[in-house]
Amino acid sequence: MRDLYDVAVVGAGPAGYTAALKASGLGLNVLLAEKEQVGGVCLNRGCIPSKCLLSDAENVHWSKRAAAAGIINKPLAVNYAAMVRRKNLVVNKIVTNLGKHLQASGVHLLAEKVAVTEPGHLETQSGAIVNAEKVILATGSKPFIPSIQGFNLPGVITTRQMLDLEELPSELVIIGGGVIGQEFAWLSAVLGSSVTILEMLPRVLAEVDEEIARRYASFLPALGIKTETGSKILSIEQQDGRLVVVYVKGEKEKRISADKVLVACGRKPNLCGIELDGLALEPSTGAVLVDPSLKTSIEDIYAVGDATGRKMLAHVASYHGEIAAFNIGGYERTCRDDVVPSCIFTWPQIAWVGINQEQALTRGLSFRTSVFPLSASGKAKALEENIGLIKLIEDRSSGKIIGAHLLGPNVSELIGEAALAVRMGSTAQDLVETIHAHPTIAEAFREAAMGFLDGPIHSAPRVKSFSL
């Protein structure tokens, strides 16, 4: 190791390794410290492994439809252990290639836990000292585990353990009906598990536009997914070798048994090893406070990604890493993470960007919504996945698109266009004058925009106005 680095990055998740690669590309000497494997939660225990399993589950989903239509004789038989092995091979290959890319790019990798006790000073677990002119805190996040009796029982698992199971449970209870809970519920149900979601709030997917969330929730019973909203967890118990979740819904205490209980209650910033006096934190979340350049309250220390608690998404983390590296490298860059696309990889998928209808009402905006049903999309009909919709929100004072909410097949691949439209302040006219390829689901995005003008071609207009 060098005596002094230009930059030391703590944590090699999407935020950290992106920052390290960008800083090295700018000619800086970079140390990247990671106690586990490069790639962080996203690559090793989150985004990538879960999408491997979900991709295979989509094939099973298709086989059920194909068997019902007589296209194949019977649905595909599933070897879940083989799915897990394929997932592990994919992840290991990406991790290996990422490590090689970091080394080839001149980044010095330190495979060890470090503590940051003062600016520019890192202490390794083995007792070595690392000095750096600048430090980037990219320590990521960890699952939020409620303080409820029984959460430490065997069989009560987080997504990390769920991804390593080689056999799915016959009966699964998921605590939390948000993004993570819904993805694992869909995966498990499609592959044959009986799934119950317990959600504390009045509806699942609280961060999703209510119309989209309620429409998606209406599909769950047909998949064998039972949902109990407004449920307060009291405890988890062990009885006769099984787990029993005790909860209250309304005024009634209820109990449900399961082979496994998945805790999917969100995540919180992980600041393990950060012991800096004077580091300003957000009181309610424990996240590191940063300014628009991602500097912390301590000179020469930056924080990026989930550690900032801003939006805990891998693509936001990567963007933060780039911004911090540019600023350390002498370029003045301002973080603009107010327009961020989000995706849920169920089937149908959900994707959104900008504000939703409820947020627009809360802010007292005058706006319009336009909805185009995928039942009027030729491509959706060809896929036999025509139960979704495209919903756009237009600010009436400016005519700009301020929100887009999508439910349908592979809409995660369309949300980039919507994000660009919202970020650039595009109008419905801009979208309509952009020719979209046929036949695609993307055409529905254009037809939804036509609703604000003279109406879509393939369906009746579904436009609503909201004013103060």
Side-chain angles (χ1 to χ4, degrees):
M1 290 191 295
R2 300 172 61 92
D3 293 330
L4 179 66
Y5 289 89
D6 296 322
V7 187
V9 184
V10 183
Y17 78 70
T18 301
L21 287 168
K22 181 60 69 174
S24 183
L26 295 173
L28 302 175
N29 295 311
V30 182
L31 174 82
L32 177 60
E34 172 56 55
K35 64 181 179 179
E36 296 187 32
Q37 290 181 302
V38 294
V41 170
C42 177
L43 175 51
N44 293 281
R45 304 181 298 279
C47 315
I48 300 303
S50 65
K51 300 317 166 283
C52 286
L53 297 175
L54 287 164
S55 174
D56 289 339
E58 287 177 14
N59 293 326
V60 177
H61 169 71
W62 172 86
S63 78
K64 292 180 179 181
R65 178 180 69 78
I71 298 169
I72 59 177
N73 292 330
K74 59 183 179 179
L76 299 175
V78 178
N79 183 337
Y80 187 70
M83 288 174 57
V84 173
R85 287 194 296 271
R86 187 187 79 84
K87 176 263 294 183
N88 291 338
L89 287 172
V90 171
V91 170
N92 290 339
K93 185 174 182 178
I94 298 174
V95 169
T96 299
N97 288 341
L98 176 59
K100 291 178 180 177
H101 180 46
L102 286 162
Q103 290 180 326
S105 300
V107 175
H108 181 88
L109 289 171
L110 176 62
E112 198 170 347
K113 183 178 180 180
V114 301
V116 185
T117 55
E118 59 184 85
H121 185 87
L122 285 68
E123 298 179 11
T124 72
Q125 199 167 21
S126 60
I129 303 298
V130 176
N131 296 300
E133 295 284 351
K134 311 283 185 182
V135 174
I136 299 177
L137 305 177
T139 48
S141 61
K142 56 187 176 182
F144 172 73
I145 307 296
S147 299
I148 295 177
Q149 181 180 350
F151 270 79
N152 59 345
L153 288 172
V156 180
I157 58 177
T158 66
T159 56
R160 181 170 188 163
Q161 293 83 43
M162 183 78 184
L163 286 167
D164 287 334
L165 294 177
E166 294 198 353
E167 181 180 351
L168 285 175
S170 296
E171 294 181 293
L172 173 67
V173 169
I174 299 177
I175 298 176
V179 174
I180 297 171
Q182 293 297 338
E183 289 189 354
F184 280 98
W186 187 86
L187 169 71
S188 303
V190 167
L191 298 180
S193 298
S194 174
V195 180
T196 300
I197 297 173
L198 302 180
E199 170 57 53
M200 178 181 65
L201 298 175
R203 67 175 174 95
V204 297
L205 297 172
E207 60 189 294
V208 176
D209 181 88
E210 185 172 4
E211 182 176 5
I212 297 280
R214 292 197 183 280
R215 186 168 180 83
Y216 179 76
S218 71
F219 306 150
L220 297 179
L223 290 170
I225 299 173
K226 181 182 178 182
T227 304
E228 290 269 59
T229 55
S231 297
K232 180 182 178 181
I233 309 300
L234 298 180
S235 65
I236 303 175
E237 303 172 357
Q238 237 176 3
Q239 292 183 4
D240 301 323
R242 287 169 60 78
L243 294 165
V244 177
V245 182
V246 184
Y247 63 101
V248 172
K249 182 177 172 66
E251 300 296 323
K252 185 177 180 181
E253 182 175 303
K254 305 180 76 172
R255 305 168 74 88
I256 183 171
S257 63
D259 301 306
K260 300 285 185 184
V261 175
L262 172 63
V263 181
C265 299
R267 301 184 66 83
K268 63 180 182 179
N270 175 28
L271 302 184
C272 181
I274 309 303
E275 305 165 9
L276 291 162
D277 291 335
L279 184 66
L281 303 178
E282 208 285 323
S284 62
T285 64
V288 180
L289 292 174
V290 292
D291 68 12
S293 66
L294 299 176
K295 292 179 181 177
T296 70
S297 56
I298 300 177
E299 187 71 21
D300 296 329
I301 295 183
Y302 294 70
V304 293
D306 288 7
T308 69
R310 292 162 74 100
K311 284 181 176 144
M312 294 187 181
L313 296 167
H315 41 287
V316 174
S318 297
Y319 170 73
H320 280 186
E322 292 181 27
I323 296 298
F326 273 123
N327 284 321
I328 290 173
Y331 301 84
E332 293 186 4
R333 297 291 176 89
T334 298
C335 177
R336 291 184 57 188
D337 57 6
D338 54 329
V339 177
V340 174
S342 298
C343 305
I344 306 176
F345 294 88
T346 48
W347 197 270
Q349 293 181 358
I350 303 170
W352 71 97
V353 68
I355 65 173
N356 60 38
Q357 183 173 313
E358 296 71 46
Q359 291 167 335
L361 288 169
T362 300
R363 297 179 190 185
L365 301 179
S366 294
F367 64 97
R368 295 193 296 169
T369 64
S370 175
V371 173
F372 182 80
L374 292 188
S375 58
S377 162
K379 180 61 180 289
K381 287 180 179 178
L383 294 172
E384 207 167 308
E385 299 287 353
N386 58 356
I387 55 178
L389 58 89
I390 307 295
K391 179 178 183 179
L392 300 181
I393 300 177
E394 175 198 65
D395 181 80
R396 296 190 69 181
S397 62
S398 66
K400 295 178 180 179
I401 302 299
I402 56 174
H405 306 273
L406 289 60
L407 173 68
N410 297 317
V411 292
S412 61
E413 302 295 339
L414 306 184
I415 200 63
E417 176 182 357
L420 181 63
V422 173
R423 187 178 187 276
M424 301 304 293
S426 299
T427 64
Q429 192 70 45
D430 294 327
L431 300 178
V432 170
E433 290 181 355
T434 301
I435 297 174
H436 289 64
H438 174 78
T440 62
I441 302 297
E443 289 175 292
F445 191 65
R446 179 175 182 267
E447 294 238 28
M450 293 174 75
F452 293 129
L453 303 174
D454 52 0
I457 299 296
H458 294 95
S459 77
R462 288 177 54 186
V463 178
K464 292 183 180 179
S465 295
F466 300 82
S467 300
L468 291 176

